[in-house]
């Protein structure tokens, strides 16, 4: 691993002094040389390095044995062991630069890669690293660094997705304080922010940290509230951290450990592990790069045991994902070299004139040369499109491999099991990523799935993810020190640091339902002589100095306040209402007219006339009760209409249409009559209260002064939301100020009404019956307890408040503090709204439709009967005029139907008699002629 960071940068600066290379004399090689020099830089005695060495040598052997790959050119790979040292890694890379090396496989670590990349940029030698996963190495600063494994950016995206999936909001990050650790955790912070999560505490460690150093770091972590720990380190350091954590009791219930792929590297390369080691990893979640299960991969896995016997002394060395990527790295370079030669590239190097001038000493910097074809080879590498044992190999424009994906594993028992996958395409799933690439991407919360997990402590119940910090510090809770309405919040007598009241008792009751202890202390906010600003109290929660850790009291949940802090579930509803003076409304001689508005009276009277007229028309030809002189008929029609109000009509209806209209009208009358009776009874028996103020609409439309509670959000709401001028607003403090201002009224310097939250007004009205709430509640909000953003305590307290509501304790606390009976409003109410036409328009439409339909049917019947009757009349020599025909029709419908039928029947009989006589005469004439004809036939004269 890395040592002597200062020495590393000293060598780097020495190399970078060379500046940008100038091409000098070149050493030309053939287009298809016999062999190509390739370097390898990694620590062969580490878990990653030992696996990579076997994989690289196996890949070189496979490439060189296949003449179709490079057309006869052989790869000559020289592996230099950095022996855990970043300094040696840099030196080894410099040595390769002296030996006409066209590319370097490595370096193994991100720290070394940062330095060597500067050298690679200068000498244009591509670096192909299968293990340097620092996200910042993909920047434009390092064009010749090419990562052939998965970027840590996607590993951190996987962890962030898991944190959101399990409903956590904060994590603690433990990492090695070098380029690999810092940049990886920075990427984690960015990905967590995309899910509205964050790192609440960062715990860096030195690469050479002793056990005592690790203990000190973990003790600090144990004092934090977050129990979600992300461990980003190396496989040589990670087990030490978990071992110390186990000794400190940090691997038990309530903790969640998520490691980056260093743990999966240990499990894959060193399997089987001892039971003691596996017990140390029990319940830990880890990641490993996902590679599809293809035929190429299965063949390579089956060869692995033979390869380790050939190229390694460790016969039990397991195959990790780094070995797969190292194998594919050699093939990527081989295919890129083939493309390089096909495009006319040649292996040639040029001396840097500035390096040539650096003579003396033993560094021999002048021996390093620039690879003239480096740029073409780099482009050829980035254009590789093939399939390897890790799956499809292709680079995105930002030099990352396509289809990044990770497996999520859970250590349990003596092994580990896969609980799901993450891919950049569809997020978390239990289905292999390659099966999802054929479907449309789906990142909905319902599609995110993982199998159950066995957590630390051998439990399957998902940990809450946080506890109250066990560092001896009490939660500082700001409480408004009110001057009025102390039933909600007030200091306890003789105990300045204790408070009582409705809000305080609800808070303590909810706190007692939490499954953990929360040490706290109340801190008053305000002087007790005036009401403090709740908005300012909430703001102090969010300040950097942490004046308060929470705010408890009569704090309304408003839009501006929710932008500052998180609130719990409301524990009381309290929208804005208008309170105004009311007076008793006495009955008068015309009280019987009050139930209906004048429009309803007019429409009802109109329909009485309409229905009476319709029934008269439908009954006139059939019913003797609706016939007679014109005066009698008008009186009958009016009497019939208005007598239906009392269901006292004497006239019978005989027509089907008339009965249908009457039934519907009687139903309408029944509803109207019942409503009138109920409203009039209420007006005459219940004490009525009235006020010139009808609600917020009245106050907005006039210019009367309005009272409000000083330091309340009501002022800003009335000005900003309702557009009321601030000169009309009068601040009030005490309930007595409310009462005096309302009694005085605008004429004596008081107010026309007071606007405040319902919870205050209900308490105010409990002993003051001369005032009342007028109109409707015009906002909907509630009171809640405020906590800092993303505080888990806010969520747990919300759950506790819901439990209080369900078991009835919340109502009992309300009745204890806020229920008053000194002034009862039973038997009194504000003047009722009169019954409006809109309440009955449906009934009138129904009745009107029935009348109209009955008239249409009746008219069509009359036209049909008139046409039949008129066609039977004898035709006149001159056609009748339209006016005479209309008069005939009106005369026809005015006649009684029996008369018309009788006349029509008599006419039909006469016509039948005439037709009978005509037929008889016709028959007799025929017979007479027949006899005459017969006598003529038998006449002898005729016979002769």
């Amino acid at each position: 691993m890395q040592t002597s960071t200062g020495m590393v940068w000293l060598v780097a600066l020495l190399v970078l002094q060379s500046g940008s290379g100038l091409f000098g004399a070149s050493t030309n090689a053939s287009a298809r040389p016999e062999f190509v020099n390739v370097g390898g830089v990694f620590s062969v005695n580490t878990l990653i390095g030992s696996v990579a060495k076997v994989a690289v040598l196996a890949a070189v052997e496979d490439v060189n044995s296949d003449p179709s790959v490079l057309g006869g050119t052989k790869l000559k790979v020289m592996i230099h062991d950095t022996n855990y040292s970043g300094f040696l890694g840099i030196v080894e890379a410099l040595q390769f630069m002296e030996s006409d090396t066209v590319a370097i496989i490595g370096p193994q670590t991100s720290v070394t890669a940062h330095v060597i990349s500067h050298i690679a940029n200068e000498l244009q030698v591509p670096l192909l690293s299968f293990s340097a996963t620092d996200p910042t190495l993909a920047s434009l600063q390092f064009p010749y660094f090419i990562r052939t494994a998965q970027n840590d950016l996607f590993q951190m995206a996987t962890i962030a997705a898991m944190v959101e999936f399990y409903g956590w909001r904060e994590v603690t990050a433990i990492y090695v304080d070098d380029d690999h650790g810092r940049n990886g955790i920075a990427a984690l912070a960015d990905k967590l922010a995309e899910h509205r999560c964050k790192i609440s505490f960062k715990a860096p460690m030195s690469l050479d940290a002793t056990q005592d150093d690790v203990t000190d770091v973990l003790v600090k972590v144990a004092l934090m509230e977050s129990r979600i720990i992300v461990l980003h380190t190396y496989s040589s350091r990670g087990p030490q951290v978990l071992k110390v954590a186990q000794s400190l009791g940090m691997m038990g219930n309530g903790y969640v450990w998520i490691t980056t792929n260093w743990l999966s590297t240990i499990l894959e390369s060193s399997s089987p592990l001892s039971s003691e080691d596996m017990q140390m990893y029990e319940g830990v979640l880890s990641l490993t790069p996902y590679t599809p299960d293809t035929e190429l991969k299965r063949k390579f896995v089956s060869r692995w045991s033979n390869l380790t016997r050939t190229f390694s002394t460790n016969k039990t060395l397991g195959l990790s994902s780094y070995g797969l990527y190292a194998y594919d790295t050699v093939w990527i370079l081989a295919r890129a070299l083939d493309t390089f030669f096909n495009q006319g590239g040649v292996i040639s190097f040029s001396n840097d004139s500035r390096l040539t001038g650096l003579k003396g000493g033993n560094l021999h910097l002048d021996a390093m040369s620039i690879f003239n074809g480096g740029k073409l080879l780099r482009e050829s590498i980035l254009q590789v499109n093939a399939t390897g044992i890790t799956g499809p190999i292709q680079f995105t424009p930002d030099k990352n491999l396509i289809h990044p994906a990770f497996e999520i594993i859970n250590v349990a028992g003596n092994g580990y099991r896969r609980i799901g996958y993450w891919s950049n395409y569809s997020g978390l799933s239990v289905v292999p990523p390659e099966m999802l690439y054929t479907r449309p991407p789906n990142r909905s919360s319902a599609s995110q799935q993982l199998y159950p997990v066995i957590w630390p402590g051998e439990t399957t119940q998902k940990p809450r993810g946080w506890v109250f910090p066990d560092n001896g510090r009490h939660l500082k809770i700001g409480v408004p020190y009110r001057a009025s309405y102390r039933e909600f919040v007030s200091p306890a007598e003789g105990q300045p640091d204790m408070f009582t009241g409705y809000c305080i008792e609800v808070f303590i009751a909810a706190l007692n339902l939490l499954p953990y202890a929360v040490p706290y202390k109340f801190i008053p906010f305000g002087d007790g002589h005036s009401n403090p600003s709740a908005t300012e109290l909430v703001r102090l929660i969010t300040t950097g100095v942490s004046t308060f850790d929470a705010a408890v009291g009569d704090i309304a949940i408003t839009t501006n306040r929710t932008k500052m802090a998180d609130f719990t579930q409301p524990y009381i509803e309290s929208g804005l209402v208008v309170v105004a003076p009311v007076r008793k409304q006495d009955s008068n001689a015309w009280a019987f007219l009050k139930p209906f508005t004048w429009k309803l009276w007019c429409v009802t009277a109109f329909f009485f006339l309409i229905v009476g007229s319709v029934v008269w028309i439908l009954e006139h030809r059939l019913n003797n009760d609706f016939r007679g002189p014109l005066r009698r008929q008008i009186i009958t029609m009016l009497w019939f209409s208005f007598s239906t109000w009392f269901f006292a009509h004497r006239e019978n209806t005989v027509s089907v249409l008339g009965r249908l209209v009457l039934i519907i009208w009687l139903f309408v009358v029944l509803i109207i009559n019942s409503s009138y009776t109920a409203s009039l009874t209420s007006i005459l028996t219940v004490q009525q209260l009235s006020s010139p103020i009808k609600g917020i609409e009245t106050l907005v439309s006039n210019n009367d002064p309005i009272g409000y509670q000083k330091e309340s959000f009501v002022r800003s709401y009335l000005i900003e939301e309702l557009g009321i001028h601030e000169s009309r607003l009068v601040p009030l403090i005490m309930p007595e100020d409310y009462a005096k201002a309302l009694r005085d009224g605008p004429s004596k310097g008081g107010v026309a009404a007071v606007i405040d939250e319902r919870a205050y007004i209900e308490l105010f009205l409990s002993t003051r019956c001369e005032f009342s709430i007028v109109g409707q509640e015009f906002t909907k909000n509630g009171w809640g307890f405020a906590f800092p953003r993303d505080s888990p305590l806010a969520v747990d307290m919300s759950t506790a408040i819901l439990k209080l509501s369900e078991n009835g304790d919340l109502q009992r606390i309300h009745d204890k503090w806020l229920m008053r009976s000194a002034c009862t409003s039973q038997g009194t109410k504000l003047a009722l709204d009169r019954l409006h036409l809109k309440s009955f328009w449906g009934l009138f439409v129904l009745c009107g439709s029935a009348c109209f339909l009955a008239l249409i049917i009746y008219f069509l019947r009359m036209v049909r009967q008139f046409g039949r009757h008129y066609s039977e009349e004898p035709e006149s020599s001159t056609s009748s005029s339209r006016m005479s025909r209309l008069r005939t029709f009106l005369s026809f419908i005015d006649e009684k139907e029996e008369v018309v039928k009788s006349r029509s029947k008599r006419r039909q009989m006469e016509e039948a008699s005439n037709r009978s006589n005509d037929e008889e005469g016709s028959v007799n004439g025929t017979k007479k002629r027949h006899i005459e004809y017969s006598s003529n036939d038998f006449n002898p004269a005729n016979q002769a």
Side-chain angles (χ1 to χ4, degrees):
M1 290 302 172
Q2 283 64 31
T3 59
S4 185
T5 304
M7 193 64 181
V8 168
W9 285 108
L10 178 62
V11 175
L13 290 173
L14 191 60
V15 174
L16 289 176
Q17 287 177 353
S18 60
S20 58
L22 299 175
F23 294 108
S26 63
T27 302
N28 294 325
S30 62
R32 285 278 180 172
E34 181 181 355
F35 61 88
V36 177
N37 289 328
V38 177
V41 179
F42 38 88
S43 299
V44 297
N45 292 324
T46 61
L47 281 179
I48 296 175
S50 57
V51 172
K53 176 184 175 182
V54 175
V56 167
L57 294 178
V60 171
E61 184 179 81
D62 293 343
V63 168
N64 290 338
S65 62
D66 188 350
S68 65
V69 179
L70 283 172
T73 300
K74 305 294 184 181
L75 289 180
K76 185 177 181 182
V77 178
M78 181 66 68
I79 297 177
H80 288 180
D81 184 7
T82 61
N83 198 22
Y84 302 96
S85 172
F87 173 73
L88 290 180
I90 297 173
V91 173
E92 298 291 354
L94 292 175
Q95 289 181 351
F96 281 128
M97 303 302 181
E98 299 176 357
S99 58
D100 295 344
T101 300
V102 300
I104 296 178
I105 298 175
Q108 181 175 322
T109 63
S110 298
V111 176
T112 307
H114 273 278
V115 179
I116 296 180
S117 292
H118 290 286
I119 304 173
N121 291 346
E122 179 68 23
L123 302 180
Q124 300 181 15
V125 176
L127 300 178
L128 289 84
S129 178
F130 54 85
S131 58
T133 53
D134 176 5
T136 63
L137 288 170
S139 64
L140 298 176
Q141 182 184 9
F142 306 117
Y144 282 89
F145 177 85
I146 302 172
R147 183 186 291 109
T148 58
Q150 296 295 353
N151 192 331
D152 266 352
L153 182 69
F154 304 112
Q155 185 169 206
M156 299 309 172
T158 306
I159 295 176
M162 294 166 59
V163 171
E164 183 189 37
F165 175 79
Y166 289 114
W168 302 316
R169 285 291 174 263
E170 297 181 2
V171 303
T172 296
I174 303 176
Y175 59 97
V176 173
D177 194 11
D178 60 6
D179 292 336
H180 171 71
R182 285 191 303 271
N183 296 333
I185 294 302
L188 175 62
D190 292 340
K191 291 300 179 180
L192 286 171
E194 294 177 6
H195 297 275
R196 296 192 63 187
C197 304
K198 67 177 183 179
I199 299 175
S200 59
F201 182 70
K202 294 181 180 180
M205 296 185 306
S206 169
L207 184 62
D208 300 323
T210 63
Q211 183 170 341
D212 291 339
D213 296 333
V214 174
T215 302
D216 292 341
V217 169
L218 291 180
V219 168
K220 293 178 182 178
V221 170
L223 295 177
M224 298 298 109
E225 65 180 20
S226 175
R227 286 294 183 260
I228 313 301
I229 303 174
V230 177
L231 182 56
H232 183 46
T233 181
Y234 299 103
S235 55
S236 60
R237 182 60 59 193
Q240 180 189 16
V241 176
L242 292 182
K243 185 175 182 179
V244 175
Q246 186 181 34
S247 66
L248 294 176
M250 298 175 64
M251 299 295 292
N253 285 334
Y255 280 91
V256 175
W257 287 83
I258 304 175
T259 73
T260 48
N261 61 338
W262 62 264
L263 179 56
S264 63
T265 301
I266 295 176
L267 297 175
E268 293 168 347
S269 304
S270 303
S271 183
L273 296 175
S274 65
S275 58
E276 181 180 353
D277 290 338
M278 293 304 297
Q279 185 179 4
M280 182 174 60
Y281 302 140
E282 180 75 34
V284 176
L285 297 177
S286 186
L287 308 178
T288 184
Y290 173 72
T291 54
D293 186 19
T294 61
E295 184 65 25
L296 286 175
K297 179 181 175 181
R298 287 192 292 269
K299 288 181 178 179
F300 185 76
V301 171
S302 64
R303 293 172 54 198
W304 183 251
S305 59
N306 293 330
L307 294 176
T308 54
R309 285 194 292 269
T310 304
F311 299 112
S312 174
T313 58
N314 186 355
K315 309 305 180 185
T316 61
L317 184 64
L319 176 61
S320 67
S321 58
Y322 288 110
L324 302 177
Y325 284 111
Y327 182 87
D328 275 352
T329 299
V330 176
W331 277 94
I332 291 173
L333 179 58
R335 296 182 187 280
L337 283 170
D338 186 57
T339 303
F340 172 81
F341 291 133
N342 290 338
Q343 293 178 349
V346 295
I347 305 298
S348 63
F349 297 86
S350 301
N351 294 327
D352 191 330
S353 59
R354 287 184 296 179
L355 290 178
T356 304
L358 295 176
K359 295 183 179 180
N362 297 321
L363 290 177
H364 300 293
L365 297 178
D366 56 332
M368 294 188 294
S369 57
I370 298 172
F371 177 31
N372 295 330
K375 185 175 181 181
L376 178 59
L377 179 58
R378 177 174 65 89
E379 296 301 324
S380 299
I381 294 172
L382 294 176
Q383 292 173 4
V384 168
N385 187 355
T387 300
I389 60 176
T390 59
I393 299 174
Q394 191 176 349
F395 292 94
T396 63
D398 53 1
K399 298 193 302 182
N400 289 317
L401 290 175
I402 62 171
H403 300 325
F406 283 85
E407 290 185 45
I408 305 171
I409 62 174
N410 176 213
V411 180
N414 292 325
Y416 60 91
R417 61 192 184 92
R418 181 193 308 115
I419 64 168
Y421 306 89
W422 177 91
S423 70
N424 198 38
Y425 187 75
S426 294
L428 300 173
S429 72
V430 294
V431 179
E434 66 268 16
M435 297 179 63
L436 300 176
Y437 295 143
T438 58
R439 309 174 189 173
N442 186 0
R443 287 297 190 99
S444 65
S445 57
S447 67
Q448 306 299 292
Q449 295 180 345
L450 290 176
Y451 287 122
V453 176
I454 298 177
W455 304 100
E458 298 184 0
T459 177
T460 57
Q461 184 177 0
K462 185 196 75 174
R464 185 173 62 250
W466 79 285
V467 295
F468 197 80
D470 187 19
N471 54 10
R473 187 178 70 86
H474 284 66
L475 196 69
K476 294 183 291 185
I477 300 177
V479 179
Y481 189 4
R482 297 188 56 86
S484 61
Y485 298 113
R486 295 199 171 191
E487 291 86 350
F488 296 105
V489 178
S490 62
E493 295 183 4
Q495 296 177 310
D497 57 341
M498 294 300 296
F499 282 79
T500 61
Y502 169 72
C503 302
I504 300 300
E505 187 161 340
V506 171
F507 174 76
I508 295 175
L511 213 60
N512 291 335
L513 293 178
L514 299 182
Y516 48 87
V518 179
Y520 66 90
K521 62 179 179 179
F522 291 130
I523 300 176
F525 176 69
D527 55 10
H529 301 294
S530 61
N531 295 329
S533 170
T535 302
E536 179 63 17
L537 174 58
V538 174
R539 189 191 67 80
L540 290 175
I541 300 176
T542 63
T543 59
V545 295
S546 297
T547 305
F548 299 114
D549 297 312
V552 171
D554 49 337
I555 304 173
I557 304 173
T558 64
T559 303
N560 289 336
R561 293 171 185 172
T562 55
K563 295 177 181 178
M564 304 177 190
D566 283 349
F567 282 83
T568 62
Q569 169 83 13
Y571 57 88
I572 187 174
E573 293 184 359
S574 185
L576 293 181
V577 295
V578 178
V579 62
V582 293
R583 58 184 177 83
K584 183 179 179 182
Q585 189 178 38
D586 297 327
S587 299
N588 54 45
W590 300 100
F592 67 90
L593 296 176
K594 290 183 179 179
F596 288 174
T597 62
W598 67 270
K599 289 184 180 179
L600 184 55
W601 276 119
C602 293
V603 172
T604 303
F606 175 74
F607 263 85
F608 273 111
L609 296 176
I610 289 295
V611 171
S613 301
V614 171
V615 172
W616 178 84
I617 292 172
L618 298 175
E619 296 289 325
H620 178 65
R621 301 185 75 242
L622 300 174
N623 196 337
N624 289 329
D625 292 338
F626 292 89
R627 298 190 63 82
L630 178 61
R631 180 180 177 183
R632 177 187 172 187
Q633 294 183 48
I634 294 175
I635 294 174
T636 300
M637 180 179 64
L638 294 176
W639 166 256
F640 178 83
S641 297
F642 291 101
S643 63
T644 55
W645 177 271
F646 310 102
F647 304 96
H649 50 285
R650 296 176 301 175
E651 294 77 13
N652 293 324
T653 54
V654 297
S655 67
V656 175
L657 293 176
R659 290 175 176 177
L660 175 64
V661 171
L662 184 60
I663 288 174
I664 295 176
W665 173 242
L666 291 178
F667 174 74
V668 174
V669 169
L670 175 65
I671 300 300
I672 295 177
N673 197 1
S674 301
S675 302
Y676 176 85
T677 304
S679 180
L680 183 62
T681 302
S682 176
I683 290 174
L684 297 178
T685 58
V686 179
Q687 179 182 345
Q688 302 294 311
L689 302 177
S690 65
S691 171
I693 306 297
K694 302 303 179 184
I696 188 63
E697 296 82 5
T698 306
L699 295 177
V700 172
S701 61
N702 62 31
N703 292 316
D704 292 336
I706 303 171
Y708 71 95
Q709 187 177 165
K710 189 176 182 181
E711 299 298 339
S712 170
F713 75 93
V714 176
R715 174 185 172 84
S716 60
Y717 179 84
L718 295 178
I719 295 174
E720 297 172 5
E721 300 296 332
L722 300 182
I724 296 176
H725 197 274
E726 60 181 340
S727 61
R728 296 176 55 193
L729 303 180
V730 180
L732 305 170
I733 299 177
M734 303 298 292
E736 292 75 14
D737 299 335
Y738 285 22
K740 183 178 185 303
L742 289 171
R743 292 191 187 102
D744 291 345
S747 61
K748 297 182 180 181
V751 297
V754 171
I755 297 178
D756 207 345
E757 297 180 69
R758 177 177 286 275
Y760 297 127
I761 294 303
E762 288 180 348
L763 198 59
F764 169 75
L765 295 178
S766 64
T767 56
R768 297 171 178 87
C769 298
E770 68 270 31
F771 311 112
S772 180
I773 295 174
V774 294
Q776 300 295 321
E777 187 176 21
F778 58 93
T779 65
K780 291 291 184 182
N781 54 27
W783 292 355
F785 306 131
F787 293 90
R789 280 286 190 190
D790 301 322
S791 172
L793 191 57
V795 179
D796 289 353
M797 286 293 287
S798 293
T799 304
I801 290 172
L802 290 175
K803 291 180 180 178
L804 289 176
S805 178
E806 292 170 356
N807 61 25
D809 288 343
L810 195 60
Q811 184 62 42
R812 283 190 286 273
I813 297 173
H814 177 276
D815 295 343
K816 172 183 175 182
W817 289 96
L818 305 181
M819 184 63 68
R820 299 288 185 270
S821 58
C823 175
T824 176
S825 60
Q826 185 176 2
T828 65
K829 59 182 175 179
L830 287 175
L832 293 173
D833 289 337
R834 305 170 76 182
L835 297 175
H836 293 269
L837 177 61
K838 64 182 179 181
S839 302
F840 302 96
W841 72 269
L843 291 173
F844 288 124
V845 168
L846 176 64
C847 184
S849 300
C851 292
F852 180 75
L853 182 61
L855 287 176
I856 292 295
I857 295 174
Y858 177 78
F859 178 76
L860 294 176
R861 286 178 55 193
M862 291 299 100
V863 170
R864 180 171 174 269
Q865 290 182 12
F866 177 73
R868 186 190 308 156
H869 174 77
Y870 187 76
S871 64
E872 295 171 353
E873 294 287 339
E875 294 185 1
S876 176
S877 59
T878 58
S879 59
S880 301
S881 65
R882 292 184 179 179
M883 187 58 67
S884 62
R885 187 177 180 86
L886 178 61
R887 283 196 298 268
T888 303
F889 178 72
L890 294 177
S891 177
F892 171 76
I893 62 175
D894 185 57
E895 291 182 313
K896 193 172 182 180
E897 188 170 349
E898 294 178 358
V899 175
V900 175
K901 289 182 178 180
S902 176
R903 185 171 62 247
S904 178
K905 185 176 180 180
R906 187 168 56 250
R907 183 181 296 111
Q908 289 175 2
M909 292 176 63
E910 291 175 356
E911 291 177 354
S913 176
N914 292 334
R915 284 196 300 268
S916 176
N917 293 333
D918 291 342
E919 290 175 359
E920 182 178 356
S922 176
V923 171
N924 293 334
T926 302
K927 291 182 177 179
K928 184 177 181 180
R929 287 194 296 271
H930 180 69
I931 295 172
E932 290 176 354
Y933 293 155
S934 299
S935 62
N936 291 334
D937 290 341
F938 290 99
N939 191 333
N942 293 338
Q943 190 71 23

